[in-house]
Short mmCIF file of all heavy atoms in Angstrom, two decimals:
data_model
loop_
_atom_site.label_atom_id
_atom_site.label_comp_id
_atom_site.label_asym_id
_atom_site.label_seq_id
_atom_site.Cartn_x
_atom_site.Cartn_y
_atom_site.Cartn_z
N VAL A 42 12.91 21.52 17.95
CA VAL A 42 12.82 22.94 18.24
C VAL A 42 12.49 23.16 19.72
O VAL A 42 12.03 22.26 20.42
CB VAL A 42 11.74 23.63 17.37
CG1 VAL A 42 12.06 23.48 15.89
CG2 VAL A 42 10.35 23.08 17.69
N ILE A 43 12.71 24.39 20.16
CA ILE A 43 12.36 24.79 21.52
C ILE A 43 11.00 25.48 21.50
O ILE A 43 10.72 26.30 20.62
CB ILE A 43 13.42 25.76 22.11
CG1 ILE A 43 14.80 25.08 22.11
CG2 ILE A 43 13.02 26.20 23.51
CD1 ILE A 43 14.89 23.83 22.95
N GLY A 44 10.17 25.15 22.48
CA GLY A 44 8.85 25.75 22.58
C GLY A 44 8.66 26.45 23.91
O GLY A 44 9.43 26.24 24.86
N SER A 45 7.64 27.27 24.00
CA SER A 45 7.31 27.92 25.27
C SER A 45 5.98 27.39 25.80
O SER A 45 5.06 27.11 25.03
CB SER A 45 7.26 29.45 25.13
OG SER A 45 6.29 29.85 24.18
N HIS A 46 5.92 27.24 27.10
CA HIS A 46 4.73 26.73 27.79
C HIS A 46 3.85 27.91 28.18
O HIS A 46 4.33 28.93 28.66
CB HIS A 46 5.18 25.95 29.03
CG HIS A 46 4.09 25.66 30.01
ND1 HIS A 46 4.04 26.28 31.25
CD2 HIS A 46 3.02 24.84 29.95
CE1 HIS A 46 2.99 25.83 31.91
NE2 HIS A 46 2.35 24.96 31.15
N ASN A 47 2.53 27.79 27.96
CA ASN A 47 1.60 28.89 28.24
C ASN A 47 2.15 30.20 27.70
O ASN A 47 2.37 31.18 28.42
CB ASN A 47 1.33 28.99 29.75
CG ASN A 47 0.50 27.85 30.27
OD1 ASN A 47 -0.09 27.09 29.50
ND2 ASN A 47 0.44 27.69 31.58
N SER A 48 2.35 30.21 26.40
CA SER A 48 3.10 31.26 25.73
C SER A 48 2.49 32.65 25.85
O SER A 48 3.19 33.66 25.68
CB SER A 48 3.24 30.90 24.25
OG SER A 48 3.68 29.57 24.09
N TYR A 49 1.21 32.74 26.10
CA TYR A 49 0.48 34.01 26.21
C TYR A 49 0.63 34.64 27.60
O TYR A 49 0.28 35.81 27.79
CB TYR A 49 -1.01 33.72 26.01
CG TYR A 49 -1.50 32.70 27.01
CD1 TYR A 49 -1.95 33.08 28.27
CD2 TYR A 49 -1.42 31.33 26.73
CE1 TYR A 49 -2.32 32.13 29.22
CE2 TYR A 49 -1.79 30.38 27.67
CZ TYR A 49 -2.23 30.79 28.91
OH TYR A 49 -2.57 29.87 29.86
N HIS A 50 1.12 33.91 28.58
CA HIS A 50 1.04 34.26 29.99
C HIS A 50 1.86 35.52 30.31
O HIS A 50 3.07 35.54 30.12
CB HIS A 50 1.56 33.09 30.83
CG HIS A 50 1.19 33.15 32.27
ND1 HIS A 50 2.10 33.39 33.27
CD2 HIS A 50 0.00 32.98 32.89
CE1 HIS A 50 1.50 33.36 34.44
NE2 HIS A 50 0.22 33.12 34.23
N SER A 51 1.20 36.56 30.81
CA SER A 51 1.90 37.82 31.08
C SER A 51 2.09 38.09 32.57
O SER A 51 2.55 39.16 32.95
CB SER A 51 1.15 38.99 30.43
OG SER A 51 -0.15 39.12 30.96
N GLY A 52 1.73 37.11 33.41
CA GLY A 52 2.01 37.24 34.84
C GLY A 52 0.94 38.01 35.61
O GLY A 52 -0.14 38.29 35.08
N PHE A 53 1.26 38.35 36.85
CA PHE A 53 0.30 39.02 37.74
C PHE A 53 0.62 40.50 37.89
O PHE A 53 1.79 40.90 37.86
CB PHE A 53 0.32 38.37 39.13
CG PHE A 53 -0.19 36.96 39.15
CD1 PHE A 53 0.69 35.88 39.18
CD2 PHE A 53 -1.55 36.70 39.10
CE1 PHE A 53 0.22 34.58 39.19
CE2 PHE A 53 -2.03 35.40 39.11
CZ PHE A 53 -1.15 34.33 39.15
N ALA A 54 -0.42 41.28 38.09
CA ALA A 54 -0.25 42.69 38.44
C ALA A 54 0.19 42.76 39.91
O ALA A 54 0.02 41.79 40.67
CB ALA A 54 -1.55 43.45 38.21
N PRO A 55 0.74 43.90 40.35
CA PRO A 55 1.33 43.98 41.70
C PRO A 55 0.40 43.58 42.84
O PRO A 55 0.80 42.80 43.72
CB PRO A 55 1.74 45.45 41.80
CG PRO A 55 2.02 45.85 40.40
CD PRO A 55 1.00 45.12 39.57
N SER A 56 -0.82 44.07 42.86
CA SER A 56 -1.71 43.75 43.97
C SER A 56 -2.22 42.32 43.90
O SER A 56 -2.44 41.67 44.93
CB SER A 56 -2.89 44.73 44.03
OG SER A 56 -2.43 46.02 44.44
N GLU A 57 -2.41 41.81 42.69
CA GLU A 57 -2.77 40.40 42.54
C GLU A 57 -1.67 39.52 43.12
O GLU A 57 -1.94 38.56 43.85
CB GLU A 57 -2.97 40.06 41.06
CG GLU A 57 -4.16 40.75 40.41
CD GLU A 57 -4.16 40.60 38.91
OE1 GLU A 57 -3.19 40.03 38.36
OE2 GLU A 57 -5.13 41.05 38.29
N ARG A 58 -0.44 39.86 42.80
CA ARG A 58 0.69 39.10 43.30
C ARG A 58 0.74 39.15 44.83
O ARG A 58 0.94 38.12 45.50
CB ARG A 58 1.99 39.66 42.73
CG ARG A 58 3.26 39.01 43.30
CD ARG A 58 4.49 39.74 42.78
NE ARG A 58 4.58 39.60 41.33
CZ ARG A 58 5.09 38.56 40.71
NH1 ARG A 58 5.59 37.56 41.42
NH2 ARG A 58 5.14 38.50 39.41
N LYS A 59 0.55 40.34 45.39
CA LYS A 59 0.59 40.49 46.85
C LYS A 59 -0.53 39.71 47.50
O LYS A 59 -0.33 39.07 48.56
CB LYS A 59 0.48 41.98 47.21
CG LYS A 59 0.61 42.27 48.70
CD LYS A 59 1.98 41.89 49.22
CE LYS A 59 2.15 42.25 50.68
NZ LYS A 59 3.47 41.84 51.23
N TYR A 60 -1.70 39.74 46.91
CA TYR A 60 -2.85 39.01 47.46
C TYR A 60 -2.58 37.51 47.48
O TYR A 60 -2.83 36.83 48.48
CB TYR A 60 -4.10 39.32 46.66
CG TYR A 60 -5.33 38.62 47.17
CD1 TYR A 60 -6.02 39.10 48.29
CD2 TYR A 60 -5.79 37.45 46.56
CE1 TYR A 60 -7.14 38.44 48.79
CE2 TYR A 60 -6.91 36.78 47.05
CZ TYR A 60 -7.57 37.28 48.16
OH TYR A 60 -8.67 36.63 48.65
N LEU A 61 -2.07 36.99 46.37
CA LEU A 61 -1.75 35.57 46.33
C LEU A 61 -0.65 35.21 47.32
O LEU A 61 -0.66 34.14 47.93
CB LEU A 61 -1.33 35.16 44.92
CG LEU A 61 -2.45 34.93 43.90
CD1 LEU A 61 -1.86 34.59 42.54
CD2 LEU A 61 -3.39 33.82 44.35
N GLU A 62 0.30 36.11 47.46
CA GLU A 62 1.38 35.89 48.42
C GLU A 62 0.84 35.74 49.83
O GLU A 62 1.33 34.94 50.64
CB GLU A 62 2.36 37.06 48.34
CG GLU A 62 3.66 36.85 49.10
CD GLU A 62 4.61 38.00 48.87
OE1 GLU A 62 4.17 39.17 48.97
OE2 GLU A 62 5.79 37.75 48.60
N MET A 63 -0.23 36.50 50.14
CA MET A 63 -0.84 36.45 51.47
C MET A 63 -1.76 35.24 51.63
O MET A 63 -1.76 34.58 52.66
CB MET A 63 -1.65 37.73 51.73
CG MET A 63 -0.82 39.01 51.79
SD MET A 63 -1.81 40.45 52.31
CE MET A 63 -3.08 40.49 51.03
N LYS A 64 -2.54 34.94 50.56
CA LYS A 64 -3.60 33.95 50.69
C LYS A 64 -3.24 32.56 50.16
O LYS A 64 -3.73 31.55 50.66
CB LYS A 64 -4.86 34.45 49.95
CG LYS A 64 -5.42 35.75 50.48
CD LYS A 64 -5.94 35.59 51.90
CE LYS A 64 -6.60 36.87 52.40
NZ LYS A 64 -7.15 36.72 53.77
N ASN A 65 -2.40 32.50 49.16
CA ASN A 65 -2.07 31.21 48.56
C ASN A 65 -0.65 31.25 47.98
O ASN A 65 -0.45 31.22 46.76
CB ASN A 65 -3.08 30.85 47.46
CG ASN A 65 -3.02 29.39 47.06
OD1 ASN A 65 -2.03 28.70 47.30
ND2 ASN A 65 -4.07 28.90 46.42
N PRO A 66 0.35 31.32 48.83
CA PRO A 66 1.73 31.42 48.35
C PRO A 66 2.17 30.22 47.51
O PRO A 66 3.02 30.35 46.64
CB PRO A 66 2.54 31.53 49.64
CG PRO A 66 1.66 30.98 50.72
CD PRO A 66 0.27 31.32 50.31
N LYS A 67 1.58 29.06 47.77
CA LYS A 67 1.94 27.88 46.99
C LYS A 67 1.53 28.07 45.52
O LYS A 67 2.29 27.71 44.61
CB LYS A 67 1.25 26.64 47.57
CG LYS A 67 1.63 25.34 46.89
CD LYS A 67 0.98 24.14 47.56
CE LYS A 67 1.37 22.84 46.88
NZ LYS A 67 0.74 21.67 47.53
#
Side-chain angles (χ1 to χ4, degrees):
V42 300
I43 301 299
S45 60
H46 165 250
N47 289 347
S48 311
Y49 57 88
H50 196 251
S51 61
F53 293 101
S56 290
E57 293 169 356
R58 174 186 297 277
K59 184 64 177 178
Y60 180 79
L61 281 177
E62 191 175 46
M63 296 187 301
K64 299 294 184 179
N65 195 340
K67 184 177 181 180

